[in-house]
Structures are given as C-alpha cells and as structure tokens.
Amino acid sequence: MKTYQFKTNIKCGGCIATVTPYLNANNEIKHWSVDTDNKDKILTVETESLSHQAITEIVKKAGYQAEPLT
C-alpha cells in the first residue's frame, strides 16, 4: 500500500463534496482524506497501484489542483 500526500486547493466541505465522486469512483483508491485545517489543504490518498500522476489527473478532472509533496 502506498500513501501519497498532495498540496491542494480543496478548501471546504463543498469542495470535498465536489471531488468525492471522482475519488470514490476509482476502485484502486482504498482511502482518502483532506485536511482543510492545514494551510496547504493536504490530500492524503492510500492506493495499491495508482501513481501520484494518476491521482493528480483525477483531482484535476474534478476541477481542483493537486501538487505532490515529497
């Protein structure tokens, strides 16, 4: 299992509601969450096989930005 973290522009509950169907639709994402209390709005994703680029594309399709943290 891999865990990736991203700096995002997902700011509030409404933003989370918008991105939820996109992230939940991918069966390879086992768990995800967004820390909207963090100034960088950190998205954490647990997956067995997706790359950080694939997750970035999913978030982009939902209308948001995700920049991988290292």
Side-chain angles (χ1 to χ4, degrees), residues 10-67:
I10 300 170
K11 301 176 195 153
C12 63
C15 298
I16 292 171
T18 300
V19 79
T20 294
Y22 292 87
L23 293 170
N24 286 351
N26 191 303
N27 293 334
E28 297 186 40
I29 294 176
K30 301 302 177 194
H31 176 75
W32 65 273
S33 63
V34 179
D35 181 0
T36 56
D37 292 332
N38 184 301
K39 69 178 179 67
D40 291 330
K41 312 304 181 199
I42 302 299
L43 167 66
T44 303
V45 178
E46 293 178 10
T47 180
E48 290 187 18
S49 59
L50 288 178
S51 67
H52 67 274
Q53 293 98 336
I55 296 165
T56 300
E57 284 302 312
I58 292 169
V59 174
K60 189 175 181 180
K61 285 180 185 175
Y64 296 92
Q65 298 170 351
E67 178 182 320

